[in-house]
Amino acid sequence: MKKFVPPSIHVVEHVGPLNNAQFAAMSDSELEAYLRENGYWEKKKLYRANHNYALREIAGEHVLVPTGDLPGDRMITLNRSCAFLWQQLQEQKTIGDLIFAARQRFADPNGELEKHIQEFVEYRVQTGHIWEVK
């Protein structure tokens, strides 16, 4: 008998030029090839906040406070958008999950929300504040 794994659903943004009807008409092998070709697996990556930092609100500011033995022992201030993303990343999320949640919370008059979230995650992975889980 297989071990039960808790249900988990993540949002993955649409990839490539095809629409849903075209996806449905493809065979499984054609769809797999299409998804590989258009970066689907990259968009499925899961991320999580580094648990060695705690988000605190101090004097009206959002501050990441190091909780473990980290190089530099620096505190980092976050604006409200970053703090929201940090809170979201207390659980494993795709970038699509973060974009979906942020669209529910924030207006995006310039249409740059997706780009900024992508950049935030990529940069914070490089700095070690966010971990790529899978």
Side-chain angles (χ1 to χ4, degrees):
M1 189 179 291
K2 291 184 180 182
K3 179 182 174 190
F4 176 77
V5 177
S8 176
I9 296 174
H10 296 283
V11 175
V12 177
E13 294 290 310
H14 179 76
V15 297
L18 299 184
N19 64 35
N20 291 344
Q22 291 167 310
F23 288 148
M26 291 178 159
S27 70
D28 289 351
S29 60
E30 290 171 326
L31 183 56
E32 179 181 351
Y34 174 83
L35 293 174
R36 284 189 190 285
E37 186 178 299
N38 287 283
Y40 173 77
W41 307 115
E42 184 70 21
K43 291 185 178 216
K44 281 188 59 176
K45 285 184 179 177
L46 293 171
Y47 300 91
R48 183 174 172 82
N50 182 333
H51 69 270
N52 291 309
Y53 292 93
L55 179 62
R56 310 267 304 270
E57 190 170 338
I58 311 222
E61 298 243 351
H62 300 286
V63 180
L64 282 183
V65 178
T67 60
D69 212 8
L70 297 167
D73 293 327
R74 298 181 190 135
M75 288 188 273
I76 301 162
T77 58
L78 305 176
N79 68 16
R80 75 170 167 256
S81 299
C82 289
F84 173 78
L85 295 172
W86 189 266
Q87 290 165 335
Q88 292 294 306
L89 287 164
Q90 296 308 298
E91 296 180 5
Q92 296 179 11
K93 304 276 182 179
T94 64
I95 289 177
D97 292 330
L98 296 174
I99 292 166
F100 181 81
R103 283 186 178 143
Q104 304 302 310
R105 175 93 178 242
F106 301 106
D108 183 24
N110 299 328
E112 295 182 342
L113 182 142
E114 183 174 338
K115 175 185 135 210
H116 289 298
I117 289 174
Q118 180 79 37
E119 290 171 353
F120 170 80
V121 171
E122 288 173 1
Y123 180 71
R124 291 296 156 202
V125 166
Q126 289 176 3
T127 61
H129 298 112
I130 295 173
W131 291 328
E132 184 180 313
V133 178
K134 172 179 151 187

